[in-house]
Amino acid sequence: MPDAVSPSPAIRVSAEVRTALAEGRPVLALESTILSHGLPRPRNLEVGLAAERQVRDAGVVPATIGVIGGEAVVGCSAGELERLCTVDGVVKASVRDLPIARAKRLDAGTTVAATAWLAHRAGIRTMSTGGLGGVHRGASETFDESADLPVLADTPITLVSAGVKSILDIGATLERLETLNIPVVGYRTNRYPAFYVTDSGFELDYRVDSPDEVAALARARDELGQRAAVLVANPVAAEAQLDPAEHDRILAAALAAAAEAGVTGHDSTPFLLDWVQRATGGRSLAVNLEVYRGNVALGAEIARAIAG
């Protein structure tokens, strides 16, 4: 495994996580923007606590990552999780925002990029999230691309997600992942998922069928001295997905509404996700939670395999 960068005094790693890492026990990193910005209150705190219980029940130490009063925390306590889920004024922090959050002593939920970056600095090798950021529609003119992609190109972690959200340009995202030399494999599938639906319509060249195969891939990456994350695309179960035809109709309407309202840039994602949630009568939120539970479960299995 490549050596993790020693955490700086600006990063606090919980005693439980430090001990587990020192003893070679499995640890799973979890992002916090799904809690601070992705889910309504009080459901967000319930989901955050339930995810940590789920990880512990699998014999793995959870490390939810966030920023508390400007301090980056790897392994938030229950009280810190509650703070991120209930206090007003919590911001959303990617890697570029971490020094600003520190200087201004802000509370922040960390994105996939910031979570992966902080997890690697602490020595954590596996992470789960819901969906990745990617290339936005119209990026050929706006250059709107998530910071998740370049950060993951230089952060050797194994990351489980359900692909990228379907509101993004999935084809362009896969092209960028290829350009950035980030390996992407489907978990028991050769079809790339699109978060709310199991099949985005795009094929993957490679698949893995067990946590041990994922661990072997991560070891091979490390033996070659490569720096990119290994992305494991884990689709939501077919019976839990949104109906694909309904999904396509709602997404088309949401995109048209955003264009008519002049919504662009970082406002696009929350606008579109809110539109989808309202249009589905909340069923998209249920899918979101099912996606997250599935990715947390698989991430815990992979963390055990990698630690073993």
Side-chain angles (χ1 to χ4, degrees):
M1 146 182 171
D3 292 334
V5 180
S6 298
S8 75
I11 303 172
R12 171 163 53 86
V13 182
S14 74
E16 181 186 26
V17 171
R18 283 200 314 272
T19 300
L21 292 171
E23 295 175 351
R25 292 189 283 122
V27 178
L28 180 66
L30 302 170
E31 58 131 325
S32 51
T33 52
I34 188 174
L35 308 177
S36 61
H37 290 77
L39 296 171
R41 301 175 185 175
R43 194 68 181 275
N44 55 349
L45 180 58
E46 295 169 5
V47 169
L49 295 173
E52 292 214 339
R53 285 194 301 271
Q54 182 182 1
V55 174
R56 292 187 195 282
D57 289 346
V60 177
V61 173
T64 303
I65 296 176
V67 179
I68 304 295
E71 183 178 42
V73 180
V74 177
C76 289
S77 67
E80 289 164 341
L81 268 181
E82 182 175 3
R83 179 166 165 170
L84 291 174
C85 290
T86 61
V87 172
D88 293 334
V90 176
V91 301
K92 185 176 181 179
S94 188
V95 174
R96 70 165 191 169
D97 306 300
L98 293 175
I100 300 170
R102 178 166 176 76
K104 291 183 173 291
R105 299 183 179 179
L106 302 175
D107 294 332
T110 49
T111 64
V112 168
T115 303
W117 188 83
L118 289 165
H120 173 61
R121 288 186 68 90
I124 299 172
R125 302 161 69 185
T126 313
M127 175 183 162
S128 287
T129 186
L132 294 179
V135 178
H136 286 250
R137 296 168 188 262
S140 59
E141 296 180 2
T142 64
F143 295 91
D144 191 356
E145 175 183 311
S146 171
D148 291 354
L149 302 186
V151 170
L152 292 172
D154 193 41
T155 305
I157 199 164
T158 299
L159 175 58
V160 180
S161 76
V164 297
K165 289 186 173 66
S166 52
I167 61 174
L168 302 174
D169 188 329
I170 296 176
T173 299
L174 289 170
E175 291 289 349
R176 285 293 289 147
L177 290 168
E178 180 181 353
T179 299
L180 292 168
N181 294 314
I182 301 174
V184 184
V185 294
Y187 191 72
R188 298 177 179 171
T189 182
N190 281 98
R191 308 296 294 179
Y192 191 66
F195 194 77
Y196 293 124
V197 294
T198 61
D199 186 353
S200 68
F202 291 90
E203 190 168 358
L204 291 171
D205 293 330
Y206 303 103
R207 62 182 279 165
V208 289
D209 291 290
S210 70
D212 286 339
E213 278 193 73
V214 179
L217 174 54
R219 283 194 299 273
R221 182 268 320 273
D222 297 343
E223 289 165 357
L224 288 165
Q226 294 186 355
R227 299 283 304 172
V230 169
L231 301 186
V232 181
N234 182 40
V236 68
E239 61 271 17
Q241 69 176 334
L242 284 181
D243 176 73
E246 178 190 22
H247 166 271
D248 291 348
R249 288 194 303 272
I250 290 172
L251 178 58
L255 291 168
E260 184 176 350
V263 177
T264 59
H266 60 77
D267 294 325
S268 297
T269 296
F271 178 93
L272 293 170
L273 293 180
D274 179 66
W275 180 283
V276 172
Q277 183 172 326
R278 287 185 287 108
T280 59
R283 283 180 290 120
S284 66
L285 177 59
V287 177
N288 189 340
L289 297 178
E290 188 65 26
V291 163
Y292 190 54
R293 282 191 290 266
N295 291 343
V296 168
L298 179 57
E301 293 182 35
I302 292 170
R304 285 204 314 269
I306 288 176

